[in-house]
Amino acid sequence: MAYLLRDGRPVLASPISSGRYGHLTKTGSFKVLEKERNHYSSMYGKIVDARGNTVVADADADMVVPSGGKFIPAPMHYFMRFTGADGMHAGYLPGYPASHGCVRMPEQLAIAFFNSVNVDTPVTVFGSTPTGSYARQRQSPLMRGGNRFADPRFGPRFMPPPPPFPWWR
């Protein structure tokens, strides 16, 4: 959870998705270094082919791009950098730590945090990310085994229903 405190009391709370194993969110005391409404990652995003189809959903900027394809940086709207490349921003929350170190929150709450803080606002990051079998159990089955070609947001439950049988009528 992320909390915005005013006079030591919480005035805003948000669920989050923090850094996954291998990209843990740094803990400690920081300050908001910069705010950017329409920030895009320079390191992470997706790779699409010439037709715009996603080829790699969780791509690094230095990965090979197929001929005619391109790297599309990940949007990080309402970005509030607090250390290095890490910050808080609007993003997808799968229900477990999934980021490359940033703190993702739902867009409406990211907007509220963004509008409530200024550069130099103190930020304290604490807690830990599960790293044992618990972490693997909570991970999407599509992402187990390092499958960089799968995106948990497009799992089987989001597939269109099958056509009525027989489909040719």
Side-chain angles (χ1 to χ4, degrees):
M1 290 291 290
Y3 299 97
L4 178 66
L5 305 178
R6 194 160 281 130
D7 298 324
R9 303 186 81 155
V11 294
L12 188 60
S14 174
I16 64 158
S17 179
S18 59
R20 66 184 183 221
Y21 185 69
H23 297 277
L24 300 177
T25 303
K26 291 177 183 70
T27 57
S29 296
F30 311 98
K31 290 185 177 185
V32 173
L33 301 173
E34 71 172 314
K35 293 171 52 178
E36 188 177 349
R37 161 70 182 85
N38 288 310
H39 183 77
Y40 288 85
S41 176
S42 60
M43 297 185 291
Y44 304 109
K46 66 181 179 178
I47 295 175
V48 297
D49 63 17
R51 291 191 215 160
N53 299 312
T54 300
V55 177
V56 181
D58 185 16
D60 297 344
D62 59 357
M63 292 176 81
V64 176
V65 176
S67 179
K70 63 181 175 178
F71 173 80
I72 299 176
M76 300 164 72
H77 301 310
Y78 304 100
F79 186 68
M80 298 158 276
R81 183 184 314 275
F82 58 81
T83 183
D86 295 345
M88 300 174 283
H89 61 83
Y92 173 66
L93 275 67
Y96 52 86
S99 80
H100 290 98
C102 283
V103 176
R104 300 180 194 163
M105 51 183 66
E107 184 173 45
Q108 292 303 312
L109 291 167
I111 292 169
F113 273 79
F114 187 87
N115 289 334
S116 299
V117 303
N118 297 310
V119 170
D120 291 330
T121 297
V123 175
T124 303
V125 179
F126 59 93
S128 62
T129 298
T131 58
S133 61
Y134 173 78
R136 286 186 293 281
Q137 289 171 1
R138 300 234 338 154
Q139 190 176 32
S140 165
L142 294 172
M143 296 301 286
R144 287 190 191 134
N147 183 354
R148 298 177 66 104
F149 296 91
D151 187 327
R153 293 171 286 181
F154 303 110
R157 69 181 188 156
F158 294 104
M159 296 295 288
F165 184 82
W167 58 267
W168 59 87
R169 287 190 192 173

